[in-house]
Amino acid sequence: MSLAVALSAENIKRGTGGPFGAVVIDERSGRLLGVGVNSVTASGLSLAHAEMVAISQAQAAIGHWNLASAGSMLLATSCEPCAMCYGAVPWSGIKTLVWGARREDAEACGFDEGEKPDDWQAALNRRGIRTMGELLRDEAAEILRRYARSDGEIYHPVNSDGSESC
């Protein structure tokens, strides 16, 4: 978790994207398989969330879309996953999900985290995915606030008429 939070801080320090970081680690060996930072604005890709980047790197490292085929994988992310990243967790084969800041922390800074079921953690648990949140929450939430105070770009959907959809 420390690495995911540090990545989020470094990403805003370098001006290379939003205040989010994530890593995928093989729980058995401790091997780091994927590292991701949010690069939505830098890449122009709405899918370039830190979790998606870290998962993609881990899949490339093992040569398979199903991370569970290589063992038990942990995704550590600096913030509770948004709706898109939540959906990617079971499809990717992640077996443990841990996060720092809460959804509310990101939304207080203006980010749109999307819709997730109220029982999203229980839904993952029913699929055999362990969850644990608010690890290093204060540090992770402060990075979000620092980004917002520095006028970092807050991106979210915009309707075709130019109005914000939030």
Side-chain angles (χ1 to χ4, degrees), residues 82-149:
C82 70
M84 175 180 65
C85 296
Y86 158 73
V89 168
W91 295 115
S92 66
I94 292 292
K95 288 298 178 191
T96 303
L97 169 66
V98 297
W99 65 93
R102 291 183 55 163
R103 167 193 191 115
E104 293 86 352
D105 300 322
E107 289 177 341
C109 294
F111 288 99
D112 177 1
E113 295 299 285
E115 298 297 322
K116 291 190 304 200
D118 291 336
D119 69 341
W120 69 273
Q121 283 182 264
L124 290 177
N125 294 155
R126 285 190 299 273
R127 289 175 166 258
I129 300 167
R130 296 173 298 282
T131 61
M132 184 185 315
E134 301 184 37
L135 304 173
L136 302 179
R137 180 183 180 191
D138 292 340
E139 294 92 328
E142 177 54 32
I143 292 166
L144 292 168
R145 289 189 294 272
R146 188 178 334 139
Y147 181 78
R149 285 192 305 267

Side-chain angles (χ1 to χ4, degrees), residues 8 22 24 40 56 108 117-118 124 137 158 161 165:
S8 69
V24 174
V40 169
S56 296
D118 291 336
L124 290 177
R137 180 183 180 191
V158 175
D161 65 0
S165 63

Side-chain angles (χ1 to χ4, degrees), residues 10-68:
E10 187 66 20
N11 203 37
I12 59 173
K13 179 181 173 185
R14 292 178 183 244
T16 51
F20 304 96
V23 295
V24 174
I25 299 168
D26 181 322
E27 293 189 89
R28 188 180 32 145
S29 69
R31 182 175 166 217
L32 181 64
L33 295 172
V35 175
V37 293
N38 182 286
S39 60
V40 169
T41 57
S43 67
L45 300 171
S46 62
L47 300 176
H49 288 203
E51 298 92 333
M52 303 298 277
V53 173
I55 288 169
S56 296
Q57 282 189 2
Q59 290 168 333
I62 69 162
H64 200 279
W65 64 267
N66 184 1
L67 293 172

